[in-house]
């Protein structure tokens, strides 16, 4: 789950991380009042759940409260990567000498949290990671040991931070790590961590993502969830009671059982295809249930073909076949559908499908290959 910059900063502040003074505004007048109260040059920042706000024009400096009002009116209502700006953060602007990057996330392959530090922070960090990865110092932490002083020293030195920043940066890293662990974050970033012209370090941006699986014990944070961030098709699927996850490919995937569906995603991928979603139809095979699932998959206009992968255990294949036939008969489907049916009463199931425009496949590999071919060359 994503939270806003101002919310992430509130968390960091509890861990004594220095953040700029400021407040959130929903109207230009509120922004003006906050700027007047701060009495300094301010920065106005769009609060949306995406990065790259700076490049999108969602971060602006204002010298006076009047200017803050104008900037806020420009940023409020702005559309950034599909999200509407409803709030802005108005805070004291920092006089930037250098911009650093600090980040912590999970490295699944290493089964460790990885801490990253770079002296080349700011809006181009993604490019640095892609073109000059040696500029990002990385260290994997043993969860039983956590972040020790020597870790932070190694990282700060390897990253080549300004000598004046080494000691305070160490404090930032330890606080960031503590916050990361305490709130069950999957990502915690300060970018940029600013070294000001008068030699102070301050977190001018903060990003924290919370692990969804930990929300049951992060009740206070769970309340920060917002409708807008949810993918509209995922939201609709959840309203329909389906276990659906949207992906970015073009092959719709349906199967009965989470493990089978995950395997199907892997097999399609291995055959060179790109799955558009995960959808577990669950047990049972009523036409209504299949219609509901298939219709959801087809809400995604990127879908150019559908793969059904059914293993008949308690649910019999002939019942599933009947359900799929009934469902597709009532729907106007423009894309090819490949079906792999195996298990209890598979012969009867396959017999039922004969003569329909549903394309049968004998194995999961064959099904994947067929749908990949169909989608590639319609
Ligand atoms: P992001 O683009 O969504 O990551 O938003 P950031 O909060 O990181 O802001 C983007 C950029 O705006 C930063 O890298 C800075 O260069 C600039 N910026 C942000 N806050 C300040 C500030 O207080 N003072 C100055 N001078 N620049 C700032
Ligand atoms: Mn940033």
């Amino acid at each position: 789950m994503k939270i806003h910059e101002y919310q992430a900063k509130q968390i960091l502040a509890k861990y004594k991380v220095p953040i700029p003074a400021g407040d959130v505004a929903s109207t230009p007048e509120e922004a003006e009042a906050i700027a007047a109260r701060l009495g300094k040059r301010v920065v106005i920042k769009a609060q949306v759940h995406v990065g790259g706000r700076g490049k999108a024009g969602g971060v602006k400096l204002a010298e006076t409260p009047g200017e803050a009002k104008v900037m806020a009116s420009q940023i409020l209502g702005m559309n950034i990567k599909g999200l509407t700006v409803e709030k802005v953060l108005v805070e004291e602007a920092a006089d930037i000498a250098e911009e650093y990057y600090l980040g912590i996330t999970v490295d699944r392959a290493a089964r460790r949290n990885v801490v990253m530090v770079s002296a080349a922070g700011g809006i181009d960090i993604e490019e640095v990671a892609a073109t000059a990865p040696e500029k990002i110092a990385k260290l994997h932490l043993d969860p039983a040991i956590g972040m020790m002083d020597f870790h932070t020293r190694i990282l700060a030195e390897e990253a080549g931070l300004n000598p004046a920043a080494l000691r305070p940066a160490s404090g930032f890293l330890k606080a960031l790590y503590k916050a990361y662990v305490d709130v069950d974050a999957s990502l915690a970033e300060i970018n940029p961590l600013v070294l000001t012209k008068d030699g102070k370090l301050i977190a001018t941006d903060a990003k924290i993502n919370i692990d969804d699986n930990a929300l049951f014990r992060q009740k206070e944070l769970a309340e920060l969830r917002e409708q807008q961030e949810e993918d509209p098709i995922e939201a609709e699927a959840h309203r329909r009671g389906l276990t659906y996850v949207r992906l970015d490919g073009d092959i719709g995937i349906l199967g009965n059982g989470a493990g089978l569906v995950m395997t199907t995603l892997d097999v399609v991928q291995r055959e060179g295809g790109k799955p558009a979603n995960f959808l577990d139809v669950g047990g049972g095979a009523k036409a209504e249930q299949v219609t509901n699932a298939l219709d959801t998959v087809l809400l995604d206009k990127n879908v150019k073909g559908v793969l059904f992968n059914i293993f008949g255990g308690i649910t019999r294949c002939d019942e599933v076949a009947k359900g799929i036939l009934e469902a597709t008969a009532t729907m106007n489907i423009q894309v090819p559908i490949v079906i792999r049916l195996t298990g209890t009463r598979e012969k009867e199931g396959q017999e039922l499908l004969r003569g329909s425009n549903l394309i049968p496949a004998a194995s999961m590999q064959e099904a994947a290959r067929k749908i990949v071919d169909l989608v590639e060359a319609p």
Side-chain angles (χ1 to χ4, degrees), residues 212-229:
D212 285 326
N213 295 313
L215 289 177
F216 75 96
R217 63 181 188 192
Q218 297 288 348
K219 298 224 160 61
E220 236 175 88
L221 294 171
E223 283 172 23
L224 303 179
R225 187 187 280 284
E226 287 176 13
Q227 282 302 323
Q228 211 196 24
E229 107 179 42

Side-chain angles (χ1 to χ4, degrees), residues 33 196 307:
T196 61
L307 171 52

Side-chain angles (χ1 to χ4, degrees), residues 3-25 34 37 47 49 87-91 175-176 178-180 182-183 189-190 203-208 210 220-221 223-224 226:
I3 60 174
H4 290 297
E5 173 193 1
Y6 76 92
Q7 295 162 334
K9 281 179 168 166
Q10 282 163 6
I11 293 175
L12 292 182
K14 286 189 199 151
Y15 292 83
K16 310 266 187 286
V17 171
I19 56 165
D23 210 344
V24 194
I34 296 165
R37 182 151 46 74
Q47 298 298 289
H49 289 151
K87 289 195 181 95
V88 289
L89 176 60
V90 182
E91 53 181 34
L176 187 66
K178 182 131 192 10
Y180 173 89
D182 286 354
V183 304
E189 270 181 351
I190 299 178
T204 63
D205 190 12
K207 179 173 180 175
I208 296 179
I210 315 288
E220 236 175 88
L221 294 171
E223 283 172 23
L224 303 179
E226 287 176 13

Side-chain angles (χ1 to χ4, degrees), residues 255-257 280-286 289 315:
N256 59 340
D280 176 9
V281 189
K286 293 218 172 64
Q289 197 177 345
T315 309

Side-chain angles (χ1 to χ4, degrees), residues 184-204:
D184 290 310
S186 54
L187 173 80
E189 270 181 351
I190 299 178
N191 183 39
L193 171 66
V194 161
L195 176 64
T196 61
K197 291 190 177 138
D198 54 2
K200 292 200 189 76
L201 275 180
I202 188 159
T204 63

Side-chain angles (χ1 to χ4, degrees), residues 5 9 20 41-48 50-56 58-61 80-81 91-96 99 121-126 189-194 197 202 204-207:
E5 173 193 1
K9 281 179 168 166
R41 186 169 72 122
V42 294
V43 57
I44 316 280
K45 310 181 74 180
Q47 298 298 289
V48 278
V50 285
R53 296 163 303 162
K55 283 185 179 168
V59 177
K60 291 193 160 93
L61 290 165
I80 301 182
K81 298 180 185 168
E91 53 181 34
E92 213 176 282
D95 272 329
I96 300 181
E99 297 190 41
I123 56 175
D124 290 320
I125 191 67
E126 279 85 5
E189 270 181 351
I190 299 178
N191 183 39
L193 171 66
V194 161
K197 291 190 177 138
I202 188 159
T204 63
D205 190 12
K207 179 173 180 175

Side-chain angles (χ1 to χ4, degrees), residues 111-221:
R111 302 184 190 180
R112 290 277 193 274
N113 288 315
V114 60
V115 187
M116 294 164 286
V117 178
S118 179
I123 56 175
D124 290 320
I125 191 67
E126 279 85 5
E127 207 182 309
V128 172
T131 60
E134 73 284 354
K135 288 192 180 163
I136 302 175
K138 286 186 186 162
L139 200 65
H140 289 90
L141 294 183
D142 184 325
I145 295 172
M147 176 105 66
M148 310 291 277
D149 285 331
F150 74 89
H151 291 132
T152 65
R153 267 197 303 270
I154 291 171
L155 281 162
E157 277 172 27
E158 213 172 285
L161 303 193
N162 190 310
L166 290 182
R167 191 180 289 269
S170 174
F172 276 82
L173 277 170
K174 281 198 285 185
L176 187 66
Y177 181 72
K178 182 131 192 10
Y180 173 89
V181 171
D182 286 354
V183 304
D184 290 310
S186 54
L187 173 80
E189 270 181 351
I190 299 178
N191 183 39
L193 171 66
V194 161
L195 176 64
T196 61
K197 291 190 177 138
D198 54 2
K200 292 200 189 76
L201 275 180
I202 188 159
T204 63
D205 190 12
K207 179 173 180 175
I208 296 179
N209 292 349
I210 315 288
D211 181 348
D212 285 326
N213 295 313
L215 289 177
F216 75 96
R217 63 181 188 192
Q218 297 288 348
K219 298 224 160 61
E220 236 175 88
L221 294 171

